[in-house]
Each structure stands twice: as C-alpha cells, then as structure tokens.
Amino acid sequence: MNIEENVSLKAYNTFGIDVQTRKFVEFSSEKELQQLLESKLLLDFDFFVLGGGSNVVFCSNFDGVIVHPTNKGIRIVSENVETNEVIVEACAGENWSDFAWAMTKQGFYGLENLVEIPGNVGAAPIQNVGAYGVEAKDVINYVVAYEIETGARRVFEAHECKFGYRDSVFKNELKNKYIVLSVGFSLTKTMQSKSTYSSLRSLLSEKNITNPTPLQVAECIAEIRNSKLPNPKEIGSAGSFFKNPIVTCSHLETLKISYPDIVSYPAGDNYKLAAGWLIEQCGWKGKRLGNVGVFDKQALVLYNIGGCTGKEVVNLAMAIEADVESKFGVKIECEAIIIK
Ligand SMILES: Cc1cc2nc3c(=O)[nH]c(=O)nc-3n(C[C@H](O)[C@H](O)[C@H](O)COP(=O)(O)OP(=O)(O)OC[C@H]3O[C@@H](n4cnc5c(N)ncnc54)[C@H](O)[C@@H]3O)c2cc1C
C-alpha cells in the first residue's frame, strides 16, 4: 500500500477538473484493502472512494484521502445447467463497460443494455446504474464490501442494498461506511434481452432487426450513446447531470394543461419527467456559463468547455435548477456527486 501526497485528480475525474488531493492511496487486492483499513488512516482524515470519477464534481482541493480501487479480476462463481443462470463476480477496479461487453460476448447475458456506461464495477451498486430499461439491480446478486470503521468484511444480498432509482443503501444510511471490494452478478446463458426502450426499438427497426440478440442490443445501444453523449475521452462531463424528477399523476395532469408535449414515463404509481426536456424548454440547451456548457445534443449533460472549475459547474447547475423550478414548479436534483 503506497500513500502519495498532493496528487492531481485531473486524470481521475471525467469532468477533467484540476484539483489536488492531500493524500492518494490505491488498493489492488483484498489484502491491501485490509491493510488500509487496519492502518486507521481513513478514521483520521476525511476520505472519498473514487472509482472512475465519472459521477463526481470536485469544487476545490480535497483535504483528505482519496481511495482508488484498482483491484482486478472476474470469476465464474457458479453455473446452473438447469436454469442457465451463471453467477459472475467482478472486482471493484474492473472497468464497467469492458466487463459488460466481455460478458455479452461470452454469452452471459443481462448486462448488454448497460454497455458504455463509464466508471468501474465498484460504483455500479452505489447509484444503481441504469440505462435503456435496465438497472444494475436487475442483475446484482450480492455486493462484497468492507466496513471502514471496523475493517469487517460483509456480503450484502441484493435486497439489503435497498436499490432505487439511482439510489441504494450506500448513498443513504450506509453512506461513507463501506468500501466495495467486488460485486456478484446473476447472468443468464439463455439468449434474451430487453429492447423495449423507444430509441432502441427505433434503431433496431431501422436496421430491420426484429428479434435482436443481446450482442445486437449492445451494439445498437453503443451507437445511440455515441450519437448523443459526449465521449469522456474527448469532452469532460459527468454524463447526465440531473436525475429525472418524479411527480404524481395529478401533478402531471396539471402540467399537461400548460405543456401538452411534456415528456413523461410511468414510474410505478407516479411518473418520471424527462429532465432534459424541461431544461431544453427553459432555453438552456447549447448555452454556456463561464467555462461550462449544456451539451447541444442532450440538455441533461453539462460539459467542460475547457479548464472549468467545479464551482462553475455548480453555478450553472443551480441556474438551471432555479429556471426549471420557476417555469414548471418541479425540482430537479443533481445525479452527480458534488464534493465541496
Ligand atoms: C458520458 C457519461 C455517461 C454516463 N451514462 C450513465 C448512464 O447511462 N447511467 C448511469 O447510471 N450513469 C451514467 N453515468 C454516470 C457514471 O458513469 C456512473 O454513475 C458510474 O457508476 C460511476 O462510476 P465511477 O467508477 O466513475 O464512480 P465515481 O464517480 O468515482 O464514484 C461515484 C460514487 O461511487 C462511490 N464509489 C466508487 N467506487 C466505490 C467503491 N469501490 N466502494 C464504495 N464506493 C464507491 C464514490 O464514493 C461515489 O460516491 C455516465 C457518466 C458519463 C461521464
């Protein structure tokens, strides 16, 4: 375990924000994680576990310890020949999209809709990543994590993770209490996939694919994502900056009187509004404030025009939130994690 001092985080966050951390430590194995926790370093300093840095905005230098999991490894835990279920465990430091592609190509299905989401496996259960009609919770079987205070190892079953829309127990009552070491996924060898999401359906039908294989689903999703989301290697962003707000049916009906075209999707007994549409209606699409812009192909995405600071990102986000609330009476919340 090697602790570095005063390390730049520019290369460790996809927004490309140039801040420093006082201390930086990586763990590349379970043993190194145990050593880190035994050292009690994380009890003496503020700390933050940073995976691929694709969902964070640093507003200033971090006066504490950044913990960066780099542990690698993917293993088949069990295979059930009767049900075709395969349990696969992946280490927190594995790249999420590479893992999702590898499973899809290997014929272990369930992750095909989640390809091309930046970040690492360890972060997937934290916000229950989701895209194109599938969420990580649909495939997560268990999460192996270490309690920071005691150093105890715990295996969380899926129901204990209390997954919700971009949410889990790790963002609420267990926030900053555990470090994820690895995640177990229930995949299937049965060729099935979910292709009901509207833009995915349209692209499949444009390509005359009526009964897509999971690999074809993954390829179409990659194509759609590349056409409307910034490539983190070229443009700094945290992907969708805001969550889609959830409103009651009666609230939606009231909104429809003034805005008949409002974009909404059923979400249980309530409705999810397309935050990107709300932002666009407020005239923000393609606009900029300082060195941060609202992406012209998807208004949900804020991006780094060049050398932006976290404070500039927050200022733009606040201006957008205020406009959406004043026009629609709807509060939109940040999906990205702001680190003050
Ligand atoms: C272009 C782009 C597109 C995106 N598209 C999507 C999308 O379609 N769907 C979606 O859901 N998200 C999307 N995101 C957001 C982001 O990719 C996900 O939230 C991803 O899971 C973050 O992974 P990360 O490793 O980068 O986590 P980080 O940003 O480093 O951290 C996110 C959170 O997870 C915690 N964390 C990370 N690793 C661990 C660990 N091992 N143990 C404990 N806590 C940990 C961090 O402390 C933090 O709270 C997108 C982002 C970008 C830049």
Side-chain angles (χ1 to χ4, degrees):
M1 190 185 67
N2 180 28
I3 303 169
E4 291 177 71
E5 308 274 333
N6 302 323
V7 172
S8 166
L9 295 177
K10 190 169 180 202
Y12 292 96
N13 71 98
T14 57
F15 237 113
I17 293 171
D18 196 3
V19 289
Q20 281 206 342
T21 176
R22 183 163 166 192
K23 290 178 188 291
F24 183 87
V25 58
E26 294 181 337
F27 67 86
S28 63
S29 64
E30 181 159 10
K31 195 158 180 249
E32 281 190 3
L33 174 58
Q34 287 166 343
Q35 283 168 352
L36 171 64
L37 298 178
E38 275 160 22
S39 76
K40 309 277 181 209
L41 183 72
L42 306 188
L43 303 184
D44 295 335
F45 289 91
D46 281 346
F47 69 89
F48 187 80
V49 186
L50 186 65
S54 62
N55 207 26
V56 295
V57 177
F58 286 99
C59 290
S60 52
N61 287 336
F62 188 71
D63 187 22
V65 186
I66 291 289
V67 180
H68 182 53
T70 59
N71 57 328
K72 296 279 192 312
I74 297 170
R75 71 184 179 102
I76 297 173
V77 177
S78 65
E79 266 186 87
N80 185 326
V81 282
E82 274 157 32
T83 62
N84 262 349
E85 189 196 39
V86 192
I87 309 278
V88 178
E89 187 172 322
C91 288
E94 286 287 342
N95 177 279
W96 172 266
S97 184
D98 290 350
F99 169 61
W101 275 114
M103 292 299 102
T104 308
K105 287 178 181 165
Q106 193 167 330
F108 295 168
Y109 305 124
L111 294 165
E112 53 280 358
N113 294 50
L114 303 176
V115 295
E116 299 296 314
I117 298 180
N120 294 348
V121 166
I126 309 298
Q127 82 144 355
N128 177 26
V129 289
Y132 298 90
V134 173
E135 291 180 317
K137 75 169 173 56
D138 302 330
V139 279
I140 289 178
N141 187 293
Y142 60 86
V143 174
V144 182
Y146 272 79
E147 192 176 27
I148 292 161
E149 199 178 334
T150 61
R153 187 182 199 271
R154 176 165 166 193
V155 179
F156 289 85
E157 287 179 38
H159 72 90
E160 294 178 289
C161 299
K162 300 188 187 167
F163 290 122
Y165 168 54
R166 302 290 186 270
D167 204 17
S168 75
V169 73
F170 305 108
K171 285 180 84 174
N172 296 291
E173 57 262 45
L174 297 185
K175 188 174 173 186
N176 294 334
K177 300 256 185 270
Y178 281 86
I179 296 180
V180 173
L181 176 76
S182 58
V183 184
F185 297 88
S186 283
L187 305 176
T188 177
K189 291 208 272 184
T190 307
M191 253 217 199
Q192 59 186 35
S193 56
K194 209 169 171 188
S195 53
T196 47
Y197 202 84
S198 65
S199 53
L200 175 59
R201 247 189 5 239
S202 311
L203 185 61
L204 286 165
S205 92
E206 225 175 82
K207 291 177 184 283
N208 289 320
I209 302 172
T210 43
N211 199 7
T213 64
L215 186 56
Q216 284 172 320
V217 166
E219 284 164 352
C220 283
I221 285 173
E223 194 175 326
I224 301 169
R225 291 183 71 99
N226 290 336
S227 71
K228 64 173 199 187
L229 285 172
N231 177 347
K233 288 188 187 121
E234 290 159 13
I235 299 176
S237 86
S240 302
F241 198 87
F242 300 98
K243 292 191 212 173
N244 290 320
I246 298 192
V247 295
T248 60
C249 182
S250 67
H251 192 168
L252 176 63
E253 290 311 317
T254 313
L255 285 165
K256 273 187 173 168
I257 297 167
S258 312
Y259 306 101
D261 298 336
I262 194 162
V263 181
S264 64
Y265 310 93
D269 293 340
N270 296 313
Y271 284 83
K272 221 184 246 180
L273 303 180
W277 187 88
L278 302 174
I279 296 166
E280 199 175 334
Q281 298 306 304
C282 292
W284 276 107
K285 197 173 186 180
K287 293 276 169 58
R288 60 185 283 177
L289 199 62
N291 292 316
V292 193
V294 180
F295 201 51
D296 57 359
K297 292 184 195 137
Q298 169 55 274
L300 261 187
V301 175
L302 308 189
Y303 74 100
N304 186 350
I305 292 170
C308 85
T309 63
K311 283 180 188 141
E312 284 178 304
V313 178
V314 172
N315 287 345
L316 175 57
M318 279 166 50
I320 292 172
E321 279 168 25
D323 276 3
V324 168
E325 188 166 9
S326 109
K327 189 172 170 82
F328 296 102
V330 172
K331 270 190 192 301
I332 52 170
E333 267 178 54
C334 286
E335 181 180 318
I337 297 158
I338 313 290
I339 303 159
K340 301 258 156 79

